[in-house]
Amino acid sequence: MALYSEKVMDHFRNPRNVGVIENADGVGEVGNAKCGDIMTIYLKIENDIIVDVKFETFGCGSAIASSSMATELIKGKPVSEALQLTNKAVAEALDGLPAHKLHCSVLAEEAIKAALKDYYDKNHIEYDAGQFPDCASCGHCCGK
């Protein structure tokens, strides 16, 4: 059995939505150099819809594929729906990730949530803090 699914390989070799959005409405960065994966998600939001999303990821193929798939899953969606995206949904959309690479899908979820929180903060939109887990207690390698 192959270590990576065809979808993972496709999103690694042909990542969607790579780049930066200047004057993004929300930006989220997670990860650190110690664990090797850093993801930044940029959001453009109009009328509560994510009209554009871009990413920059420094990391392994699974991190790039997870970032790419996550952006595809939220593009064109309402903010409230994007906020519900889980790492499990990202991994399933990629037809699975090896167990030792599941943290990549977690980072993609966290980067999107960080960008949405940034959007809420910039626009003084009230939100339930419980929607955004305390990064210091999550147990992942983002280092915040």
Side-chain angles (χ1 to χ4, degrees):
M1 183 175 107
L3 184 61
Y4 296 107
S5 71
E6 288 183 29
K7 281 190 183 178
V8 170
M9 295 306 296
D10 181 42
H11 277 267
F12 166 63
R13 290 184 180 128
N14 307 293
R16 285 68 153 174
N17 307 306
V18 175
V20 175
I21 297 174
E22 296 297 327
N23 301 313
D25 296 310
V27 179
E29 182 176 299
V30 298
N32 74 24
K34 283 193 270 184
C35 75
D37 298 318
I38 300 173
M39 294 181 186
T40 306
I41 299 282
Y42 304 88
L43 302 174
K44 188 68 175 170
I45 300 169
E46 294 174 6
N47 299 317
D48 209 42
I49 302 292
I50 298 172
V51 296
D52 198 10
V53 55
K54 303 274 187 220
F55 79 91
E56 292 181 304
T57 294
F58 176 83
C60 67
S62 294
I64 292 166
S66 293
S67 301
S68 175
M69 180 57 80
T71 62
E72 287 287 280
L73 292 171
I74 67 167
K75 193 172 191 175
K77 302 285 197 273
V79 168
S80 60
E81 193 173 322
L83 193 54
Q84 301 306 311
L85 182 71
T86 65
N87 68 296
K88 183 178 178 184
V90 173
E92 286 175 357
L94 288 168
D95 292 337
L97 288 169
H100 67 284
K101 292 296 184 176
L102 283 174
H103 72 277
C104 296
S105 63
V106 172
L107 286 174
E109 174 189 345
E110 291 174 348
I112 287 170
K113 288 186 177 175
L116 290 168
K117 183 178 183 304
D118 182 54
Y119 166 71
Y120 285 156
D121 289 343
K122 284 179 179 174
N123 291 282
H124 310 288
I125 299 170
E126 289 188 32
Y127 56 86
D128 175 7
Q131 294 174 304
F132 305 99
D134 177 16
C135 192
S137 67
C138 75
H140 297 288
C141 61
C142 67
K144 291 184 180 179

